[in-house]
Amino acid sequence: DRPRSLGLQRVVSAPLEADDGSIFGTLCGASTRSVRLSETHLAEIRSKARLIAEMLSQGRAAFPETGRP
């Protein structure tokens, strides 16, 4: 198990989804402690992933040819 071999006890991720539903990245977090995450924590991580995806999508829309400045 790769995360444990790195000393990680908790790994969490949420997809970064484009408007069309395609996934173009992942918001990830990790801890060397065995942290308990409540549904509230997980909802907050998903909310942040949506916000990041929206911001990145706006940036890509501003530069449609390359997706970057």
Side-chain angles (χ1 to χ4, degrees):
D1 181 50
R2 184 71 175 154
R4 293 215 191 283
S5 72
L6 297 171
L8 301 175
Q9 298 295 314
R10 169 63 69 184
V11 177
V12 64
S13 66
L16 301 180
E17 294 184 45
D19 290 339
D20 65 3
S22 63
I23 297 173
F24 65 90
T26 308
L27 173 64
C28 301
S31 178
T32 56
R33 295 183 298 139
S34 183
V35 180
R36 295 197 108 168
L37 296 173
S38 69
E39 186 54 41
T40 302
H41 291 120
L42 296 174
E44 187 66 24
I45 291 166
R46 288 189 294 267
S47 174
K48 298 299 185 216
R50 283 190 299 273
L51 178 63
I52 291 167
E54 182 180 315
M55 293 171 71
L56 291 173
S57 291
Q58 288 173 356
R60 289 194 325 204
F63 303 95
E65 294 174 13
T66 63
R68 60 180 183 223

